[in-house]
Amino acid sequence: GAVVSQHPSWVICKSGTSVKIECRSLDFQATTMFWYRQFPKQSLMLMATSNEGSKATYEQGVEKDKFLINHASLTLSTLTVTSAHPEDSSFYICSAQAGDQPQHFGDGTRLSIL
Amino acid sequence: GENVEQHPSTLSVQEGDSAVIKCTYSDSASNYFPWYKQELGKRPQLIIDIRSNVGEKKDQRIAVTLNKTAKHFSLHITETQPEDSAVYFCAATNQAGTALIFGKGTTLSVSS
C-alpha cells in the first residue's frame, strides 16, 4: 500500500517553456502533498506544502508565481514550472501524506532545461 | 525555523559491521523523526520512524534512538550488508508540525 506515482519521470525542454509534473496517490487519499527539489548529491529541499482544496504554502525563497501548485483532489497534485530556465534544471520529487501517517514519495522527475 | 544537522556525510563499513548515523534538531516542538533510504536515482523510502513519546524503536537490523533532552536521534544498522549501501536521510517535523525538514544525508558504503 501507500503508492505514490509521479509523472513524467524525465523531461527535457527548451528554455522559456512551462512544464507540468503530476503527483498521484494511487491507493490512499492524501490530505497533504509536498514538493521537494533535490540537487545532485544533496538533500531534499522543501518547496511547498499543499492541502487539498486550498492554496499551497511556499517555503521562504520559493517563487510561487514560478512554481505553480494545484491540489484539486485528494489524489492529485500538480507542480507547474513556468517559463523554465536552465537554472530550474533539477530533480523534483513529491510526497503524499494521509492525516498524520508517514510521507510516501514518488519516483521523482528529472527536469532538464536546454 | 527547524534545522537538522546530520553526521557523518559519508560512512564506509565492512560487511557485518554496524553503522551509526546521528542527527540533531533545533526545534524542541518537533515530535516526529523518520529515516529514509535513497538509492541512486530512486525515491526515498521510509525505513523506520520514531515519535517523541518513545526513546527507542527497533525493526530487525535497524533501530532508532531519540534523546529529546539533547535533541538528537540516531540510526543504528547492525550486521550491515552490501545492499544497505545508499544515502540515508534523517528528518524532523518543522515548527508548524506540517512538514519535514531533512538532514543533508549520509552516504553509506558497505563493502564485502
Side-chain angles (χ1 to χ4, degrees):
Chain A
V3 177
V4 176
S5 172
Q6 188 171 339
H7 179 80
S9 56
W10 198 304
V11 59
I12 302 172
C13 59
K14 293 181 179 179
S15 183
T17 58
S18 293
V19 179
K20 180 184 280 190
I21 303 169
E22 292 188 350
C23 181
R24 294 180 183 273
S25 56
L26 299 185
D27 54 359
F28 67 102
Q29 293 189 323
T31 47
T32 309
M33 287 187 172
F34 304 88
W35 288 94
Y36 296 86
R37 184 171 180 176
Q38 187 175 32
F39 290 103
K41 297 186 178 181
Q42 293 192 26
S43 189
L44 293 92
M45 300 299 295
L46 179 65
M47 298 176 65
T49 302
S50 170
N51 292 295
E52 184 264 339
S54 60
K55 290 184 179 180
T57 301
Y58 289 81
E59 294 299 300
Q60 193 172 11
V62 178
E63 300 175 58
K64 60 181 180 181
D65 295 330
K66 174 76 172 176
F67 300 99
L68 300 178
I69 292 172
N70 182 280
H71 191 167
S73 76
L74 284 171
T75 59
L76 174 64
S77 176
T78 60
L79 167 68
T80 301
V81 183
T82 61
S83 187
H85 292 287
E87 58 266 28
D88 299 321
S89 298
S90 190
F91 187 62
Y92 294 87
I93 190 164
C94 72
S95 70
Q97 181 181 38
D100 65 351
Q101 295 301 303
Q103 289 185 35
H104 295 279
F105 285 85
D107 279 329
T109 297
R110 192 159 303 282
L111 175 63
S112 296
I113 309 298
L114 304 177
Chain B
E2 175 69 281
N3 183 48
V4 178
E5 298 284 339
Q6 183 171 347
H7 299 280
S9 56
T10 59
L11 179 60
S12 297
V13 299
Q14 290 286 320
E15 183 177 3
D17 289 348
S18 295
V20 180
I21 303 170
K22 299 182 179 182
C23 286
T24 60
Y25 60 99
S26 60
D27 189 350
S28 56
S30 293
N31 59 9
Y32 176 63
F33 309 91
W35 285 88
Y36 286 86
K37 175 183 179 182
Q38 187 179 29
E39 297 178 28
L40 189 63
K42 296 189 177 181
R43 71 178 75 191
Q45 291 193 308
L46 179 70
I47 56 171
I48 197 166
D49 57 7
I50 192 168
R51 296 192 182 270
S52 59
N53 57 346
V54 298
E56 185 174 357
K57 185 176 178 181
K58 189 174 182 180
D59 182 4
Q60 299 183 335
R61 297 187 297 110
I62 296 173
V64 56
T65 59
L66 171 65
N67 183 327
K68 284 196 67 180
T69 303
K71 288 189 283 188
H72 67 70
F73 56 112
S74 301
L75 176 71
H76 304 254
I77 306 174
T78 58
E79 300 172 34
T80 54
Q81 301 166 2
E83 50 266 39
D84 293 329
S85 298
V87 180
Y88 291 80
F89 292 99
C90 64
T93 44
N94 66 352
Q95 199 168 33
T98 55
L100 292 175
I101 304 301
F102 283 81
K104 291 189 183 299
T106 297
T107 301
L108 174 65
S109 299
V110 181
S111 53
S112 55

